[in-house]
Amino acid sequence: MLAALPRKASRRFLSALRSVELPLGQVLYQPGSASRHVYFPNDCTVSLVAVADSNSALEVGLVGKDGMVGIPLALGVLTSPVRALVQGAGSAMRMTSARFGRELKHNPPLQRALNRCAYVAMATAMQSAVCNKAHRLGPRLARWLLMAADRVASDHFQCTQESMALMLGVRRSGVTAAASRLQRRGLIRYSRGAMQILDREGLLAASCGCYEVIRSLERTAGVRVAA
Amino acid sequence: MRAMEIVRSVAANTPKNNRLLAALPEDDYDALLPFLEPVVLPLGMALYESSGVQSYVYFPTSSIVSLLYVLEDGSSAEIAVTGCEGLVGIALFMGGETTPSRAVVQSAGHGYRIKAAALKTRFDGGGSLQYLLLRFTQALITQMTQTAVCNRHHGVDQQLCRWLLLSLDRLPANDLVMTQELIANMLGVRREGVTEAAGKLQAAGLIEYSRGRITVLNRPQLEARVCECYAVVKQEYDRLLPPGVMERA
């Protein structure tokens, strides 16, 4: 995304970024409260979670490498409607919202790049929404694991069963059963929060078509996601 | 819609019946005006097919357009509704070449449309138009994400109330021209589920449903039955859009 900027603008933009470590479970945004920073993950992943009530929530986006947390700020809105939750610990670069707002004003190429990014995020949210409604848990879990692996650019990542259940909007026991089925088929290895994808092709075959749809959206809009 | 009604409503229609257009500063509005052309939007008409190229952006005035997401296996669900408070076709100015969703008229009426290139040029110029459209986009994203979580966790009864209230907020009138079949499609549930839920609301005197027209009789009671998802979306639209956009005439 930053590669789209003219060099001078890019240098100035980069100089305003600070590195930060994000531990698992840290809440970056709460729905309705002001967003103080935008985040560009290096090797962490951040879930965007829509909240229905204290018991029900659902993941509507997963941001990692090459993505940005803080799309509302790019659209001129200072609060986020969703909770942003660190789903895989790691590092990120961040910038204050105020500085980010100033950068955007002077940077039409950046605004355009972010608009595309926002559009893909929205399309991904739509796809996940319908997928959650229409597809069975097994293929959905496979889709989610592939998306998570893309966003850390690695076949190893951390994720708890609680978080997977929250992401997919199901009970924890459902996730446990679905994950063990994938494990028995030799597609993944999962133990104490450490996920490893053993057979990517097999997992792709086990997932619903939504994964490929999301990938191709990202490609057509020029948003790079690590393979 | 009867012939006389159509004649009357066409005559009374101006682009300012779309509250987003009406919220633009006079200069921006005047710049768009020559490019806006009135259109009739009949029930069931598809403004976009998924993965199709879009040529126009639509500003509904007295109709509601539903954004439906279609999966490869043909199943679909509604992800948002847009009426006189907004526009249909954000992919065009947000940089998506094609849209992954279908846009279908779910309550018949009127609107205006503008050629994609004409809007994009003015959007890229920045200023109030860009500001307003980006904020509308964020409000729409909120509606989509809240619809997603609502679809997952709440029952048909609550979803139907949410859907009716969101739709009413986007229409100048108090009734919707539509079929139960369409509602079932919107909510991604079986038709019988909608018939039953609508029957309960009718028996309780909250709505009246007859021959494809739903009239809301008791809005406060409908608001009392709806899940919190409605308020989340409503508050976000109220907060993000200029005064007047979400106010009922």
Side-chain angles (χ1 to χ4, degrees):
Chain A
M1 198 172 71
L2 299 178
L5 295 178
R7 188 169 296 165
K8 202 172 148 206
S10 167
R11 262 208 305 276
R12 202 181 61 183
F13 190 82
L14 292 176
S15 74
L17 290 169
R18 297 286 172 270
S19 182
V20 59
E21 285 298 318
L22 300 175
L24 178 69
Q26 182 167 335
V27 174
L28 305 180
Y29 303 151
Q30 278 294 9
S33 56
S35 309
R36 294 170 56 196
H37 295 94
V38 293
Y39 297 82
F40 300 89
N42 294 325
D43 56 359
C44 64
T45 50
V46 178
S47 265
L48 306 179
V49 179
V51 181
D53 51 59
S54 53
N55 303 317
S56 329
L58 180 70
E59 182 183 84
V60 289
L62 182 62
V63 185
K65 216 170 145 60
D66 299 327
M68 183 184 97
V69 182
I71 294 289
L73 291 165
L75 303 180
V77 177
L78 302 179
T79 60
S80 166
V82 293
R83 180 177 295 149
L85 178 75
V86 178
Q87 151 71 27
S91 69
M93 307 296 279
R94 74 177 186 189
M95 187 185 291
T96 63
S97 306
R99 175 67 187 265
F100 181 71
R102 287 199 300 275
E103 290 293 329
L104 266 188
K105 228 176 245 154
H106 300 121
N107 229 321
L110 178 64
Q111 179 75 60
R112 280 197 292 276
L114 288 172
N115 287 351
R116 274 200 304 278
C117 199
Y119 178 70
V120 171
M122 193 171 71
T124 306
M126 297 192 279
Q127 184 81 24
S128 324
V130 180
C131 177
N132 276 320
K133 181 130 191 153
H135 293 149
R136 285 178 306 111
L137 180 57
R140 274 160 51 207
L141 178 61
R143 163 183 63 83
W144 189 82
L145 292 172
L146 288 166
M147 284 174 64
D150 286 345
R151 280 153 182 75
V152 291
S154 162
D155 282 341
H156 287 80
F157 50 94
Q158 299 289 319
C159 60
T160 63
Q161 295 196 354
E162 284 85 352
S163 69
M164 283 189 278
L166 172 70
M167 299 316 139
L168 298 168
V170 295
R171 281 199 305 278
R172 198 189 132 149
S173 54
V175 168
T176 310
S180 4
R181 278 195 297 275
L182 294 177
Q183 180 147 296
R184 274 202 302 278
R185 290 166 64 186
L187 305 179
I188 60 167
R189 180 181 300 142
Y190 182 66
S191 139
R192 277 169 296 162
M195 180 65 71
Q196 184 181 3
I197 295 181
L198 300 173
D199 176 358
R200 199 186 148 82
E201 285 306 309
L203 201 57
L204 203 55
S207 76
C208 54
C210 296
Y211 172 69
E212 282 297 345
V213 175
I214 291 170
R215 280 293 297 273
S216 76
L217 274 171
E218 288 162 348
R219 276 196 295 268
T220 54
V223 175
R224 194 164 55 85
V225 171
Chain B
M1 199 181 282
R2 284 169 222 100
M4 270 318 288
E5 279 181 60
I6 292 177
V7 171
R8 222 176 317 144
S9 55
V10 168
N13 210 18
T14 92
K16 289 210 172 183
N17 291 134
N18 178 283
R19 300 183 202 142
L20 206 57
L21 288 174
L24 282 171
E26 212 55 41
D27 287 355
D28 294 85
Y29 178 80
D30 290 343
L32 285 184
L33 198 54
F35 301 95
L36 292 167
E37 74 182 278
V39 279
V40 174
L41 301 173
L43 184 65
M45 177 188 178
L47 304 184
Y48 309 127
E49 290 295 348
S50 67
S51 304
V53 175
Q54 310 176 0
S55 318
Y56 293 95
V57 171
Y58 293 82
F59 294 90
T61 52
S62 59
S63 57
I64 290 198
V65 177
S66 186
L67 301 183
L68 293 165
Y69 208 95
V70 186
L71 294 175
E72 281 158 291
D73 60 12
S75 56
S76 71
E78 182 184 80
I79 44 180
V81 284
T82 299
C84 62
E85 93 300 354
L87 63 87
V88 182
I90 61 166
L92 282 165
F93 53 83
M94 294 298 283
E97 300 294 309
T98 61
T99 169
S101 54
R102 280 187 91 203
V104 178
V105 178
Q106 49 111 315
S107 184
H110 298 91
Y112 285 81
R113 69 179 188 183
I114 183 169
K115 281 219 169 79
L119 184 67
K120 187 151 190 347
T121 308
R122 277 148 198 89
F123 176 83
D124 286 342
S128 309
L129 180 68
Q130 189 188 69
Y131 175 83
L132 186 61
L133 296 195
L134 289 180
R135 287 179 75 93
F136 170 74
T137 301
Q138 179 58 36
L140 187 68
I141 291 175
T142 304
Q143 191 193 153
M144 288 175 178
T145 53
Q146 204 63 40
T147 302
V149 68
C150 186
N151 277 340
R152 182 78 211 158
H153 292 290
H154 294 148
V156 180
D157 288 3
Q158 285 191 315
Q159 284 187 51
L160 179 62
C161 292
R162 167 181 60 80
W163 187 88
L164 286 170
L165 287 167
L166 285 177
S167 297
L168 276 183
D169 287 346
R170 284 158 181 76
L171 279 175
N174 227 7
D175 51 1
L176 294 154
V177 182
M178 76 164 314
T179 66
Q180 297 202 0
E181 206 105 40
L182 264 175
I183 302 180
N185 271 334
M186 303 307 149
L187 300 179
V189 296
R190 283 204 319 276
R191 202 196 132 137
E192 302 81 71
V194 170
T195 308
E196 196 189 319
K200 278 189 229 163
L201 295 180
Q202 179 149 297
L206 306 188
I207 62 168
E208 189 178 82
Y209 179 77
S210 105
R211 281 170 297 161
R213 184 179 291 263
I214 299 175
T215 308
V216 172
L217 303 174
N218 189 340
R219 195 187 155 103
Q221 274 301 311
L222 214 50
E223 286 179 10
R225 289 187 181 213
V226 74
C227 49
E228 54 272 56
C229 298
Y230 169 67
V232 169
V233 176
K234 172 104 170 65
Q235 278 161 19
E236 203 67 355
Y237 272 75
D238 285 345
R239 199 171 66 80
L240 294 182
L241 299 177
V245 174
M246 289 305 290
E247 278 158 29
R248 290 180 54 73

